[in-house]
Amino acid sequence: MRILQFGATGQVSRAMIAAAPGRAVLVPLSRNDVDLADEAAIEAAIAGADCDLVINCAAFTLVDKAEAEPEAARAANALAPAAMARACAARGLPLIHLSTDCVFDGALDRAYREDDATNPLSVYGATKRDGETAVLAWEKGVVLRVSWVFSRFGRNFIRTMLELGRARDELRVVADQYGCPTDAVALADFILGAAPRWTAAAAGDPAFGLFHFTNAGATSRHDLAAAALARDPRTRARLSPIAKRDFPEPAARPLNGALDNSRVSAVFGWQAEPWTSAVARAADQIIAEGLDT
Ligand SMILES: NC(=O)C1=CN([C@@H]2O[C@H](COP(=O)(O)OP(=O)(O)OC[C@H]3O[C@@H](n4cnc5c(N)ncnc54)[C@H](OP(=O)(O)O)[C@@H]3O)[C@@H](O)[C@H]2O)C=CC1
Ligand SMILES: Cc1cn([C@H]2C[C@H](O)[C@@H](COP(=O)(O)OP(=O)(O)O[C@H]3O[C@@H](C)C(=O)[C@@H](O)[C@H]3O)O2)c(=O)[nH]c1=O
């Protein structure tokens, strides 16, 4: 199994690279190899690759910065996956793409299912939604919507909370914003496990299409921060719950971004680990490897 991967330095990219040995030969492409703004380079990379499947782990993920740079966000999050889908379709290759809870407005009072209407509140969410549409136009396209990704690899909310927990006396964290944390290591494990099925399946197989993929259970940003800080004997910040309206940011986020994982369980038999144990493990790893404090 040979997998061409867009993205080499990001959180999910690095989780994939760490998990691949013995399961797949991964060929990661960094920004230096192919810039997502260069559609012709994307198409050429796929056209010339010796691979059975393509995965896109690269994206413009700076949610606030995307408000100020909508064209760059659109190029990376919408036009680049469209180019990948065209090139994969030309060769019959499955394309696995990652999307986000930010395609939703958060107004529902339950976890979102794949067929719920999207209504992004931000440039990031809108461009990711357009990327989904382009990938799903290819009948061997797969979109995995994930949310609140964490791991020992790179920047994420857990690492930020652990660093601020050591640096500050008080940490004010929003308690009315809900979502499902996603362990990048579990995501990498799932993708590598499902890859043989995607490469063998014919168009029309239920393994293709749109899936929500997170750890089990939803939580608030505040309770997620509390779970991370509880792992660190050196944390000193007092954690204070605040309302999202008291933490203004350039881009709006869905207040409810919880995703329902029933479909990925039904189609792939995937058993999601509760977010609590996965977050505790990742926090322990981040602490053991050293924090920027
Ligand atoms: N992180 C999260 O909480 C969530 C992430 N997702 C989605 O999951 C996927 C992976 O996210 P994650 O691993 O966290 O992202 P990261 O921000 O950790 O990594 C993004 C990657 O994209 C690359 N990249 C960005 N712009 C370009 C460009 N113009 N050309 C080439 N490469 C580029 C970056 O390269 P470089 O290092 O050179 O900048 C980096 O390798 C994305 O599709 C994201 O939208 C969905 C929900 C939540
Ligand atoms: C630093 C900090 C954050 N927060 C909360 C509020 C804020 O909305 C949220 C922002 O954290 P982050 O910047 O880590 O997260 P954010 O950029 O909103 O994360 C999103 O990233 C993109 C890529 C996605 O697709 C989403 O699923 C989601 O994971 O954390 C606090 O309440 N207090 C704080 O001191």
Side-chain angles (χ1 to χ4, degrees), residues 11 148-152 154-164 181 221 224-225 227-229 231 275 278-280 282-284 286 291:
Q11 189 178 189
W148 298 16
V149 177
F150 66 89
S151 68
R152 52 189 273 257
R155 302 295 320 168
N156 57 69
F157 182 80
I158 303 298
R159 183 182 297 277
T160 302
M161 291 299 110
L162 290 169
E163 287 176 356
L164 294 178
R221 285 286 189 191
L224 181 54
L229 296 191
R231 306 303 298 180
W275 68 266
V279 163
D284 290 352
I286 293 168
L291 288 163

Side-chain angles (χ1 to χ4, degrees), residues 59-64 99-103 124 128 146-150 155-158 160-161 164 168 170-175 177 180 182 221-222 225 239-240 242-244 247-249 251-254 257 259:
F60 192 120
T61 56
L62 300 171
V63 178
D64 290 324
S99 192
T100 171
D101 58 316
C102 293
V103 299
Y124 170 72
K128 291 296 291 184
V146 302
S147 55
W148 298 16
V149 177
F150 66 89
R155 302 295 320 168
N156 57 69
F157 182 80
I158 303 298
T160 302
M161 291 299 110
L164 294 178
R168 293 195 185 158
E170 186 189 17
L171 192 46
R172 292 155 49 86
V173 181
V174 299
Q177 186 187 4
C180 300
T182 305
R221 285 286 189 191
H222 174 274
L239 192 60
S240 307
I242 57 169
K244 180 66 181 81
F247 194 91
E249 295 170 293
R253 275 82 167 163
L259 302 176

